Amino acid sequence: MCTITPVSVTVGANRIVPTIAIPHPLGNPALSKEDEYNLRKHLVEKALIALQTPVDGQKVFE
């Protein structure tokens, strides 16, 4: 999980899950408590799917 995907690509990460922003990678303080919870849940679910997905080389999970 990263905020700047080009850096992850450059260093050779094989599974890359883009996140929100540098100061708040797994959230958005402008959202309501419920919406932020749903956003975080979605990002973590996406990361878990990325870990379960076989990859050959690099893959960005949009």
Side-chain angles (χ1 to χ4, degrees):
M1 299 179 82
C2 65
T3 55
I4 306 173
T5 54
V7 172
S8 295
V9 170
T10 300
V11 298
N14 58 354
R15 291 175 179 86
I16 302 166
V17 178
T19 57
I20 306 303
I22 291 172
H24 307 286
L26 292 177
N28 181 345
L31 297 176
S32 69
K33 185 176 181 178
E34 181 180 327
D35 288 341
E36 186 170 19
Y37 174 83
N38 291 331
L39 173 64
R40 290 178 181 196
K41 182 179 176 184
H42 173 74
L43 288 169
V44 171
E45 287 172 346
K46 192 186 309 186
L48 290 172
I49 290 169
L51 287 172
Q52 297 173 31
T53 304
V55 295
D56 186 25
Q58 293 182 311
K59 178 169 175 70
V60 177
F61 293 82
E62 295 294 338

